[in-house]
Amino acid sequence: MVPRISKRGYSFVGAAKYYLHDKKADTDERVAWTYTHNIPTDNPEKAFGWMAYTAMNAERLKQNADVSKVGRKSSAGAVYSYSLAWHPEQSPERETMQDAAMEVLEHLGLVEHEAVFVAHTDTQHPHVHVVCNLVHPEHGKTASPSYDYLTASRWAENLEKEEGQIRCEQRVINNEKRRRLEFQSESTLVKHREKRLENTLVIQELYKQSDTGKAFQAALQDAGYTLAKGDRRGFVLVNEQGKITSLSRQLKGQRARDIKARLKNVLDIPLASQIAEERQQLETTQKNTSNDGVQKTPNQQQSVKPSNANLDENDAFLKRLDAVRSWEQKTEQQKQALLEKQENQYQRGELIEKIQTLEKQLFSTKKGLSKNSKKKKEELEYLEALRMNLANMDSRIKEQHDALKNKALESKPRTEPENTIKDEKQKRIDYIKQQQDKKHSKRRGKGPKL
């Protein structure tokens, strides 16, 4: 099992074009199966549009959930993806691949987020891609998985131990070294775990630790690199962004013939140009595709106007989704108009300022009147009247907002017909319970084979 974390992206539509179709084609022959998680549709194309819509409305979701908007804003995209690849000798069933992908989602703390699983058949090793929306669908907060690569690596190691066969020995060595360094509060390798080990010193360290070419290839794969054949430079490395680097330049001090001798028994080495083209295509597609999945500022979100120009007239789902967008923007405009009307009508800010000024005069130790002063008593009564006026004003303002909200809800369009809406939260709860039952049954069993 080899997990790989991809670079975060901005375009869900671009991700859909890449993962749901063949490379540079509109066909989908390489797609074996798909699965949608926390999204009220089984159609993967619609699911990517749904995730784009959620990301676009992150600020509105926060406002509806009374979530504070303070704090550092993320500049990275909301499109988060990873893949799980099995050994070519393995033939996992769909349920096995789907459960494994969901387990990683749970370990990363993203099980409550929207996601689409896509299994491909275009390589010798079975693999599944998971595209997740980092914007939470209920409260709009953007998740930021910490040490995600390390989490996935350790999960894969534990999975192979449970299965009773370690296929990636170098990963076990690397993870054990990381554990020792963490315990000793050292940073030789730990400081690189968020950089995917993209440092020359680390590549040299992996080479020294590996006894064979296969072990070195597995260690590189675990670190986010692919060992490949270059057009002219012999062995090269391809990182997750598709950048090609000469291996000999990274292994300074090592003789070229020694490197070649160590790697002579390594099989199934792909061409670097093909790997790089595939990974660069994904990044370019996500950057250049215009869609609503790009996270925008609140001002930009208000300026977005729904349009039916690019929608299929026969696609009822997208029409309903477009109607919801139009309804939410119209409701937001009505709310802003009511706020401006109330401010002009009630002049609440001036009333609060008057109350604060009077309180300062009455309760100041220097300018305050005596306790028995008749004038002070009249002013206290006047202050209490102003406070009552403010309370009544706030009550009327709230009633008007509640009335507007209830009226808007009456006209809110549904995204799906009543009889086809899924209870995704219950679906998630049932899945977690199912996973827990599986773990308990394994513990009661005989254990892994040795």
Side-chain angles (χ1 to χ4, degrees):
M1 168 71 70
V2 176
R4 176 181 288 115
I5 309 294
S6 300
K7 183 179 179 181
R8 286 169 63 171
Y10 295 87
S11 172
F12 285 100
V13 172
K17 288 184 176 180
Y18 178 80
Y19 289 111
L20 297 180
H21 300 89
D22 298 326
K23 299 173 184 177
K24 297 183 178 180
D26 294 331
T27 56
D28 58 356
E29 295 180 1
R30 68 169 178 162
V31 178
W33 53 265
T34 62
Y35 172 78
T36 62
H37 177 65
N38 287 337
I39 305 174
T41 177
D42 292 329
N43 187 312
E45 294 278 1
K46 298 174 184 178
F48 274 98
W50 187 278
M51 289 194 291
Y53 176 59
T54 299
M56 183 186 71
N57 288 277
E59 295 300 323
R60 189 171 298 153
L61 290 171
K62 290 180 183 178
Q63 184 177 357
N64 294 339
D66 294 328
V67 174
S68 175
K69 295 182 180 180
V70 300
R72 187 178 63 179
K73 305 298 180 182
S74 174
S75 59
V79 184
Y80 181 85
S81 59
Y82 61 88
S83 64
L84 302 178
W86 280 258
H87 193 275
E89 297 177 357
Q90 294 178 290
S91 300
E93 299 288 339
R94 168 176 175 170
E95 182 181 1
T96 301
M97 299 175 72
Q98 186 170 307
D99 288 348
M102 191 70 75
E103 276 193 34
V104 175
L105 201 67
E106 187 175 357
H107 278 74
L108 294 173
L110 300 174
V111 73
E112 295 184 357
H113 289 245
E114 301 163 333
V116 176
F117 299 2
V118 184
H120 285 167
T121 59
D122 57 341
T123 60
Q124 293 181 353
H125 52 275
H127 64 282
V128 58
H129 298 271
V130 177
V131 183
C132 178
N133 184 5
L134 291 181
V135 176
H136 196 282
E138 295 179 7
H139 53 62
K141 286 186 177 180
T142 301
S144 180
S146 300
Y147 304 127
D148 48 358
Y149 173 77
L150 186 58
T151 299
S153 178
R154 289 179 174 174
W155 170 85
E157 177 189 346
N158 292 332
L159 179 65
E160 290 189 347
K161 288 181 179 178
E162 289 180 3
E163 293 176 345
Q165 183 177 3
I166 301 297
R167 298 179 181 274
C168 186
E169 296 284 353
Q170 192 61 43
R171 173 169 55 209
V172 179
I173 297 173
N174 292 343
N175 285 339
E176 182 59 31
K177 185 170 184 178
R178 293 185 187 111
R179 293 186 186 98
R180 291 199 305 268
L181 291 174
E182 287 174 347
F183 180 77
Q184 298 170 2
S185 299
E186 296 179 11
S187 60
T188 306
L189 284 178
V190 176
K191 65 181 179 181
H192 295 287
R193 52 190 169 184
E194 282 301 285
K195 297 179 180 179
R196 312 289 194 273
L197 304 182
E198 293 178 353
N199 186 283
T200 302
L201 295 177
V202 177
I203 295 175
Q204 292 176 356
E205 185 69 20
L206 294 177
Y207 183 80
K208 292 177 182 178
Q209 292 177 357
S210 305
D211 296 331
T212 64
K214 291 184 178 180
F216 182 51
Q217 183 185 33
L220 289 172
Q221 189 83 1
D222 189 43
Y225 288 100
T226 299
L227 181 65
K229 296 178 183 178
D231 295 334
R232 298 179 181 177
R233 293 178 288 183
F235 293 107
V236 297
L237 301 178
V238 184
N239 69 4
E240 295 178 348
Q241 288 73 47
K243 183 179 179 181
I244 301 175
T245 306
S246 170
L247 178 60
S248 60
R249 290 185 180 179
Q250 303 300 315
L251 300 178
K252 293 181 179 180
Q254 300 290 337
R255 294 185 299 180
R257 63 180 182 182
D258 292 337
I259 298 174
K260 187 176 181 179
R262 179 178 294 192
L263 300 178
K264 67 178 181 179
N265 294 326
V266 178
L267 304 177
D268 299 328
I269 300 180
L271 290 176
S273 56
Q274 295 179 353
I275 300 295
E277 184 180 6
E278 176 184 344
R279 297 178 183 177
Q280 290 171 3
Q281 180 187 354
L282 172 59
E283 189 169 359
T284 302
T285 302
Q286 293 205 22
K287 285 183 178 180
N288 296 339
T289 303
S290 176
N291 71 102
D292 292 337
V294 179
Q295 293 195 52
K296 303 177 178 65
T297 63
N299 291 335
Q300 288 175 318
Q301 288 181 9
Q302 293 175 6
S303 65
V304 174
K305 297 182 180 180
S307 172
N308 290 321
N310 297 323
L311 297 181
D312 185 354
E313 292 296 325
N314 297 322
D315 196 332
F317 175 86
L318 292 182
K319 283 186 177 181
R320 286 192 293 269
L321 183 58
D322 191 60
V324 171
R325 296 177 182 177
S326 178
W327 172 84
E328 288 188 345
Q329 292 182 355
K330 181 179 179 181
T331 302
E332 187 67 22
Q333 292 172 357
Q334 291 175 343
K335 182 179 178 180
Q336 294 298 326
L338 179 60
L339 287 173
E340 294 178 3
K341 180 180 177 180
Q342 289 173 337
E343 183 62 29
N344 295 330
Q345 179 180 354
Y346 296 113
Q347 297 182 346
R348 185 175 182 273
E350 295 181 6
L351 178 59
I352 292 177
E353 185 177 352
K354 185 183 294 186
I355 291 174
Q356 292 175 344
T357 301
L358 186 56
E359 286 176 341
K360 186 176 181 180
Q361 292 176 353
L362 285 172
F363 303 114
S364 173
T365 55
K366 295 183 179 180
K367 297 183 180 180
L369 303 175
S370 63
K371 293 182 180 180
N372 299 325
S373 170
K374 182 179 178 181
K375 184 176 180 181
K376 181 174 182 178
K377 183 178 180 181
E378 293 175 351
E379 290 181 342
L380 286 172
E381 292 175 351
Y382 179 59
L383 176 61
E384 186 63 25
L386 292 178
R387 288 173 174 171
M388 287 294 296
N389 188 15
L390 178 61
N392 293 333
M393 182 185 299
D394 288 341
S395 178
R396 290 194 297 271
I397 290 174
K398 184 178 183 303
E399 289 177 358
Q400 292 172 358
H401 278 284
D402 290 343
L404 177 64
K405 181 179 180 181
N406 293 333
K407 184 178 179 180
L409 288 175
E410 293 176 358
S411 61
K412 181 179 180 180
R414 305 198 70 89
T415 54
E416 287 285 353
E418 182 69 28
N419 59 349
T420 60
I421 293 180
K422 296 180 180 179
D423 188 350
E424 289 295 331
K425 187 173 289 186
Q426 185 62 42
K427 179 181 175 183
R428 183 170 67 241
I429 294 173
D430 293 341
Y431 172 80
I432 294 175
K433 185 177 182 302
Q434 180 184 2
Q435 293 299 108
Q436 291 174 345
D437 292 341
K438 284 184 179 180
K439 291 179 181 178
H440 291 317
S441 63
K442 284 184 179 179
R443 291 172 183 171
R444 291 193 297 266
K446 297 181 179 180
K449 297 180 182 179
L450 301 177

